[in-house]
Amino acid sequence: MSLVNENFLSLQDSYLFSTIAKKVAKFMEENPNKTIIKLGIGDVTKPIVPACLKAMHQAVDEMGTKEGFKGYGPEQGYEFLRKAIVENDYQTRGVELEEDEIFVSDGAKCDCGNIVDIFAQNNKVAITDPVYPVYLDTNMMCGRNITYLPVTAKNDFKPELPKEKVDMIYLCFPNNPTGTVLEKEDLKKWVDYAKQNQSIILYDAAYEAFITEDNIPHSIYEIEGAKEVAIEFKSYSKTAGFTGVRCAYVVIPKTLKGYTKEGKEVDLNQLWNRRTCTKFNGVSYMVQRAAEATYSEEGKKQIQENIKAYLENAKIIKHGLEEVGFTVYGGVNSPYVWLKVPNGMTSWEFFDKLLEEANVVGTPGSGFGTCGEGYFRLTAFGTKENTVEAIKRIQEFSDKLQ
Ligand code: PLP
């Protein structure tokens, strides 16, 4: 008899986006003349920039030649990309890392999920509420004990240090879903906590490229001592529109240690390297060349233009909502805008009303955790035209809410 991992049975059904899709489909069927604008799902809409396309095309051509053909590549990523990451994403910010502290992967989602392999099942895990669901579900799958750290307007969306000792802490800034950030001093508290408690911080910086303000760390390693306590996840998905191309990386400094039951230090970089070599084939050569091109002069320029345009949409959403009296968070260093649902409605009640009366789709905050109830997420990844039109409709709709 083949026994199953029963932890899977205690997972909540991931019904958020499927429920949204069903509600939207029903509304469209009943109202075929209405045009819906979707500011819900966090996928990008701008195509891959020319610099990355060119690099990918060149790499494809190389693969068709005897000299340029590549078979199995290094599981950890090609040296050219790891070097470009170290130089561009870290050295420019005063962070010194070595190439073998970088592991190139096919996504931050996979990395956040897979990293749990190298930690003991009985570690206590802290995650924020609301949260990007992957941290929660992947730890539930291993049956780990979860501590929730509420992030709401009450604490300015800054999680408070846990009262009890936790071993692993997931932090994501700029945050999905709230779009809020931590300043250097806020993050330093977490690094100090982790040092005191021999905990590891799993820092998801997937939205780092959207930071516009000073004093917001782009990497946790900008905080002194973080190399002894933190793993960092980065992704080209939102930065360079690679959601369909697939490329990301995880940083595991060689100074980062875990412990055996007997208290003996274990090198986490080595453990992850071992896991990577056994369970991962590496990212394709063409994709890694495209990722490398994000650091070329023209690549940087083209990508910045896209990010600027998304941030412009975020501004349109934020200011447009504020003009008609909504309380709004995020949207300055992030493509996400998190609004307080007015008049004591629940997140889902607001979703239904917005769909029916403004024909705009967003994401109910309660879908990201209990503390997301009463909030609502809008994303800046749509076109400018749709964003402007959606906000105009929400402004008109808000009159009816008074
Ligand atoms: N981390 C966060 C916080 C995200 O919101 C997302 C995607 O929405 C990811 C990671 C996934 O990134 P990737 O596409 O690299 O798997």
Side-chain angles (χ1 to χ4, degrees):
M1 187 168 52
S2 173
L3 299 178
V4 298
N5 177 350
E6 290 190 27
N7 294 319
F8 277 67
L9 309 182
S10 55
L11 291 174
Q12 281 211 339
D13 275 344
S14 162
Y15 60 81
L16 177 62
F17 289 105
S18 59
T19 309
I20 293 174
K22 271 187 218 149
K23 280 179 181 269
V24 173
K26 183 165 176 282
F27 181 81
M28 283 168 78
E29 202 184 304
E30 290 166 2
N31 301 276
N33 302 328
K34 300 261 162 89
T35 41
I36 304 268
I37 300 180
K38 294 182 183 169
L39 300 184
I41 295 179
D43 201 352
V44 291
T45 50
K46 291 190 186 299
I48 306 299
V49 299
C52 294
L53 279 187
K54 190 169 146 208
M56 228 182 316
H57 279 298
Q58 270 173 7
V60 170
D61 289 340
E62 271 181 60
M63 285 296 240
T65 65
K66 209 167 156 213
E67 307 72 43
F69 170 74
K70 307 270 182 305
Y72 286 119
E75 291 91 345
Q76 306 86 347
Y78 283 100
E79 202 188 316
F80 62 79
L81 180 55
R82 299 168 94 191
K83 186 165 178 287
I85 291 168
V86 164
E87 288 174 0
N88 290 278
D89 286 348
Y90 292 100
Q91 273 173 10
T92 52
R93 302 197 180 282
V95 174
E96 286 304 323
L97 286 171
E98 287 173 35
E99 284 155 34
D100 56 2
E101 296 177 305
I102 310 287
F103 295 84
V104 177
S105 78
D106 58 350
K109 172 156 102 173
C110 320
D111 288 336
C112 291
N114 291 332
I115 201 79
V116 298
D117 271 12
I118 63 169
F119 293 103
Q121 192 268 337
N122 53 355
N123 276 342
K124 280 200 182 138
V125 179
I127 62 165
T128 58
D129 175 8
V131 75
Y132 173 60
V134 173
Y135 322 138
L136 173 63
D137 287 353
T138 50
N139 279 289
M140 296 273 293
M141 285 171 187
C142 326
R144 288 205 182 96
N145 194 324
I146 313 276
T147 298
Y148 293 91
L149 310 169
V151 275
T152 63
K154 263 195 198 145
N155 55 16
D156 203 15
F157 299 94
K158 294 177 179 179
E160 283 148 36
L161 298 174
K163 307 262 178 302
E164 76 273 42
K165 177 177 160 13
V166 295
D167 308 301
M168 295 159 65
I169 303 146
Y170 285 84
L171 295 177
C172 169
F173 291 99
N175 187 258
N176 178 15
T178 66
T180 56
V181 286
L182 287 190
E183 294 191 359
K184 283 192 177 152
E185 302 74 58
D186 304 316
L187 195 50
K188 168 116 184 20
K189 285 186 203 152
W190 283 98
V191 169
D192 293 346
Y193 171 93
K195 269 189 166 171
Q196 278 155 20
N197 292 283
Q198 295 181 317
S199 336
I200 298 285
I201 298 174
L202 299 133
Y203 194 72
D204 186 342
Y207 296 94
E208 167 273 322
F210 293 85
I211 294 174
T212 58
E213 292 181 316
D214 295 338
N215 205 32
I216 310 294
H218 287 248
S219 160
I220 192 166
Y221 304 120
E222 288 174 43
I223 312 298
E224 205 194 318
K227 276 207 227 166
E228 281 91 65
V229 294
I231 290 175
E232 180 159 281
F233 304 99
K234 291 285 258 320
S235 171
Y236 297 94
S237 283
K238 309 298 161 84
T239 313
F242 274 29
T243 50
V245 174
R246 308 301 326 143
C247 198
Y249 64 86
V250 50
V251 184
I252 310 198
K254 286 184 272 188
T255 38
L256 195 61
K257 307 291 174 198
Y259 299 90
T260 64
K261 282 198 283 296
E262 293 75 31
K264 190 171 150 263
E265 278 188 354
V266 178
D267 189 334
L268 291 181
N269 178 288
Q270 273 178 24
L271 284 197
W272 184 247
N273 190 45
R274 187 70 180 81
R275 188 215 176 266
T276 301
C277 293
T278 301
K279 290 199 182 183
F280 188 52
N281 271 317
V283 176
S284 80
Y285 174 67
M286 290 77 77
V287 165
Q288 292 193 58
R289 281 293 185 199
E292 181 194 27
T294 64
Y295 301 111
S296 67
E297 277 317 305
E298 34 162 18
K300 274 190 218 163
K301 223 190 287 162
Q302 293 161 358
I303 284 167
Q304 268 318 310
E305 269 170 37
N306 285 352
I307 290 175
K308 226 171 100 191
Y310 289 138
L311 283 168
E312 189 55 38
N313 286 347
K315 207 186 262 179
I316 291 169
I317 299 173
K318 182 175 154 58
H319 292 171
L321 294 178
E322 282 171 346
E323 260 173 40
V324 289
F326 282 92
T327 306
V328 177
Y329 308 94
V332 175
N333 298 292
S334 162
Y336 296 120
V337 173
W338 188 243
L339 64 101
K340 183 88 190 87
V341 171
N343 300 349
M345 269 186 275
T346 66
S347 301
W348 277 110
E349 282 166 356
F350 185 75
F351 173 92
D352 288 334
K353 263 198 161 342
L354 197 65
L355 174 61
E356 282 156 23
E357 303 200 14
N359 311 142
V360 172
V361 179
T363 313
S366 54
F368 297 100
T370 322
C371 294
E373 182 57 275
Y375 292 94
F376 200 77
R377 191 189 75 173
L378 293 174
T379 85
F381 287 126
T383 62
K384 180 168 182 183
E385 194 189 1
N386 276 348
T387 307
V388 168
E389 171 63 19
I391 294 309
K392 189 170 137 252
R393 290 188 197 174
I394 297 177
Q395 288 186 333
E396 285 161 10
F397 151 79
S398 84
D399 288 343
K400 296 184 202 155
L401 284 175
Q402 308 306 322

